[in-house]
């Protein structure tokens, strides 16, 4: 198996892939592009995203993959593919951008493909990235923003300990209407790592 590229700059302390009970988080590859396009071109997935506002073309995703690899090598940001440990299937994406190293301040964004919703994968992936941000990179806080209509994403953030800190009105036009955003913040000391329910219970100890 090809070795994962080494992360650069201040991200070099991070060892990829990140492993959780059910997930493996790795850098995206060009071979992921067809699935990324299929999953991200679902309006239920791209409409709530801030960074992807319209249906994507193959070129967008190819550039995204190249940017993720370059960003990781430069130590600027971590954009990871979320895959299942068991099968290797790609199920989503999660990112961490360090906005201010001096004050230990990062930002996260994430998505899970519709066929995999409501299994806890989103919480598990964001929890892994927050754990790495606080334990390995020693960040102090992580920001996340969600559109007001995105109750599921707000619930995910609250589950991990994020608190509502504010918001902004009419930040984007979605489906022909202006929408407000809610701002959430998580301090290192408030982080509640996600616990997968019933994991491994299928094979109880003798
Ligand atoms: C928001 C989004 C990331 C949530 O992804 P998800 O994987 O479905 O979310 P979660 O991790 O929060 O799933 C939690 C649910 O899994 C359930 N679950 C099922 N099996 C579980 C298990 N073994 N362990 C823990 N929870 C489990 C939980 O009970 C919870 O159910 P509930 O929603 O009825 O309370 C996803 O809907 C999405 O990608 N939406 C579009 C893009 C988007 O909104 N991105 C965020 C932009 S801010």
């Amino acid at each position: 198996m090809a070795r994962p590229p080494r992360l650069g700059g201040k991200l070099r302390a991070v060892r990829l892939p990140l492993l959780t009970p059910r997930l493996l988080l790795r850098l995206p590859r060009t071979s992921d592009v067809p699935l990324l396009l299929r999953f991200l071109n679902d309006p239920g997935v791209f409409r709530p995203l801030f960074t992807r506002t319209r249906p994507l073309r193959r070129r967008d995703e190819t550039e995204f993959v190249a940017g993720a690899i370059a960003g990781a090598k430069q130590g600027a940001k971590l954009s990871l593919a979320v895959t299942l440990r068991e099968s290797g299937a790609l199920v989503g994406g999660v990112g961490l951008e360090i906005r201010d190293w001096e004050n230990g301040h990062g930002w996260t964004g994430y998505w899970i493909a519709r066929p995999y919703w409501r299994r806890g994968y989103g919480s598990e992936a964001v929890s892994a990235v927050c754990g790495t941000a606080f334990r390995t990179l020693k960040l102090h806080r992580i920001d996340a923003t969600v559109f007001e209509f995105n109750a599921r994403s707000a619930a995910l953030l609250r589950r991990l300990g994020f608190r509502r800190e504010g918001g902004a009105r009419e930040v984007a036009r979605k489906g022909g209407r202006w929408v407000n955003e809610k701002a959430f913040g998580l301090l290192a000391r408030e982080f509640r790592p996600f616990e997968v329910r019933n994991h491994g219970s299928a094979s109880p100890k003798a």
Side-chain angles (χ1 to χ4, degrees), residues 161-184:
F162 278 81
R163 294 200 202 167
R164 172 91 192 264
E165 294 183 333
R169 293 173 303 142
E170 301 190 6
V171 290
R173 247 180 116 68
K174 294 273 173 181
R177 298 174 61 177
W178 285 107
V179 289
N180 303 334
E181 78 174 19
K182 293 179 177 179
F184 286 83

Side-chain angles (χ1 to χ4, degrees), residues 85 149 199:
R85 274 178 90 154
F149 60 79
H199 184 65

Side-chain angles (χ1 to χ4, degrees), residues 48 110-112 117-120 122-123 150 153 159 194 197:
Y110 44 86
W111 62 273
I112 295 291
W117 284 359
R118 306 193 82 166
R119 299 184 200 183
S123 302
N150 200 349
S153 182
R159 196 173 289 126
F194 180 67
R197 278 196 321 261

